[in-house]
C-alpha cells in the first residue's frame, strides 16, 4: 500500500457559542473562544490517501486532482467564512477542530475514484491539531513545552560503556533541551460542546502534573521520576504517559520532541 499526502489551507472565523446557554456559561465552558463576534485561524489541512500504483503511471493519484477537488469544496463551504453563520452544518454543530475534522472526513471520504482516504489532519495553529484516520476515533493533539537538563547514564553499565553508548550526552554535568510534548487524546466529540476533552482542564492537568515538575529542572537531580531512571527520550515518553494516564482517561499517545531531529512516541501498553 502506498500513502500520499497533499497539504491545503483555508482561513475561517468561528465562535464556540451554544445559543441556549447564557453568556456566562458559554464563557465558563469555552473561555475566550466564546466571543460571539468570532475569532479566526489559518487552518492547515493534510489529506492523506492510500492505494496501489495505477497501471504504468507510477502514481497512486494525481496530487493536482486532490488539490482541485478538495479546494473546490473548501472554497465553497469553509474558506473565508464565519463558520457558525455561513455553513449550514456549523449552524447546529460547534466548529471545534474535532467537529471540523469529522465534517471534512465525511466530505472528502468519497471524493476520489482510484484510492481511499487514509487520514484527515487539521492544524488550527502550530500547537493544536485534530485528525481522523481510517476507522479510528477522532484524535486531538495539543503541544506543550518545557526546558530541562539531563544526563544519559545507566547505572547498569560501566563508565566506559556509558561513554561509548551515550557519547557527549553522558557528560557528568548534564546538558539541556527545549522539550516539546504532544499529548494526544481520542474519542467522539461531545454532541453539545463538540469537544473530545475540555482543553482548559487538559491544560491544567498537563501543566500541574508534568510541565511544572520538569520545567527548568535537571531531570536526574531535581525530579523523583528520573532519580533512578535514565531520562532518554523513550523513557521520558513512557514516564509522561504514565503520569497522565490516570488523570486523562482518553489519553491515546505521548509524543516527545527532544530536539527538532529526535522524536519519540509511546501509546501505552
Ligand atoms: Zn479558534
Ligand atoms: Zn540530551
Amino acid at each position: 500500500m502506498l500513502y500520499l499526502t497533499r497539504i491545503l489551507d483555508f482561513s475561517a472565523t468561528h465562535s464556540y457559542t451554544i445559543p441556549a446557554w447564557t453568556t456566562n456559561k458559554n464563557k465558563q465552558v469555552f473561555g475566550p473562544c466564546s466571543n460571539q463576534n468570532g475569532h479566526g485561524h489559518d487552518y492547515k489541512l493534510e489529506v492523506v490517501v492510500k492505494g496501489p500504483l495505477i497501471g504504468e503511471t507510477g502514481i497512486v493519484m494525481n496530487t493536482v486532482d486532490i488539490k482541485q477537488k478538495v479546494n473546490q469544496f473548501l472554497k465553497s463551504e469553509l474558506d473565508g467564512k464565519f463558520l457558525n453563520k455561513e455553513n449550514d452544518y456549523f449552524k447546529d454543530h460547534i466548529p471545534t477542530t474535532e467537529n471540523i475534522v469529522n465534517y471534512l472526513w465525511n466530505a472528502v471520504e468519497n471524493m476520489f475514484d482510484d484510492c481511499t482516504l487514509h487520514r484527515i489532519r487539521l492544524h488550527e495553529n502550530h500547537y493544536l491539531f485534530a485528525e481522523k484516520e481510517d476507522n479510528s476515533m477522532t484524535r486531538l493533539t495539543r503541544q506543550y513545552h518545557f526546558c530541562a537538563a539531563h544526563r544519559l547514564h545507566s547505572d547498569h553499565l560501566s563508565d566506559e560503556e556509558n561513554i561509548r553508548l551515550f557519547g557527549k550526552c553522558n557528560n557528568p554535568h548534564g546538558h539541556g533541551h527545549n522539550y516539546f510534548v504532544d499529548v494526544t487524546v481520542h474519542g467522539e466529540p461531545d454532541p453539545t460542546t463538540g469537544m473530545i476533552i475540555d482543553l482548559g482542564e487538559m491544560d491544567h492537568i498537563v501543566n500541574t502534573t508534568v510541565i511544572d515538575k520538569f520545567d527548568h529542572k535537571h531531570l536526574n537531580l531535581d525530579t523523583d521520576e528520573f532519580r533512578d531512571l535514565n531520562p532518554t527520550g523513550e523513557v521520558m515518553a513512557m514516564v509522561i504517559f504514565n503520569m497522565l494516564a490516570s488523570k486523562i482517561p482518553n489519553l491515546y499517545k505521548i509524543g516527545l520532541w527532544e530536539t527538532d531531529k529526535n522524536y519519540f512516541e509511546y501509546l501505552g501498553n
Side-chain angles (χ1 to χ4, degrees), residues 150 169 175 177 258:
H150 71 165
C169 301
H175 66 281
H177 296 289
E258 187 182 64

Side-chain angles (χ1 to χ4, degrees), residues 223-253:
T223 73
D224 294 336
E225 284 76 11
F226 297 106
R227 215 171 293 282
D228 301 314
L229 278 180
N230 191 9
T232 60
E234 295 92 323
V235 172
M236 288 178 68
M238 290 173 73
V239 165
I240 293 170
F241 186 99
N242 292 330
M243 289 166 86
L244 292 173
S246 62
K247 298 180 178 176
I248 302 177
N250 57 348
L251 182 64
Y252 175 73
K253 180 172 80 182

Side-chain angles (χ1 to χ4, degrees), residues 14 16 33 39 41 43 124:
H14 66 173
Y16 292 8
C33 298
H39 66 279
H41 299 286
Y43 290 96
E124 187 180 271

Side-chain angles (χ1 to χ4, degrees), residues 166-266:
F166 298 121
K168 62 181 182 179
C169 301
N170 186 240
N171 173 23
H173 299 291
H175 66 281
H177 296 289
N178 287 319
Y179 289 97
F180 288 90
V181 186
D182 290 348
V183 179
T184 303
V185 295
H186 64 166
E188 295 309 332
D190 180 276
T192 308
T193 64
M195 300 193 294
I196 293 176
I197 191 166
D198 182 324
L199 270 183
E201 204 177 302
M202 176 162 154
D203 285 352
H204 178 72
I205 293 171
V206 176
N207 285 329
T208 53
T209 311
V210 178
I211 308 300
D212 293 351
K213 265 191 188 166
F214 295 166
D215 192 30
H216 286 74
K217 297 284 165 55
H218 190 303
L219 298 174
N220 310 62
L221 304 178
D222 297 326
T223 73
D224 294 336
E225 284 76 11
F226 297 106
R227 215 171 293 282
D228 301 314
L229 278 180
N230 191 9
T232 60
E234 295 92 323
V235 172
M236 288 178 68
M238 290 173 73
V239 165
I240 293 170
F241 186 99
N242 292 330
M243 289 166 86
L244 292 173
S246 62
K247 298 180 178 176
I248 302 177
N250 57 348
L251 182 64
Y252 175 73
K253 180 172 80 182
I254 291 297
L256 181 79
W257 295 91
E258 187 182 64
T259 67
D260 286 348
K261 297 170 191 161
N262 288 335
Y263 174 69
F264 307 88
E265 278 186 349
Y266 184 62

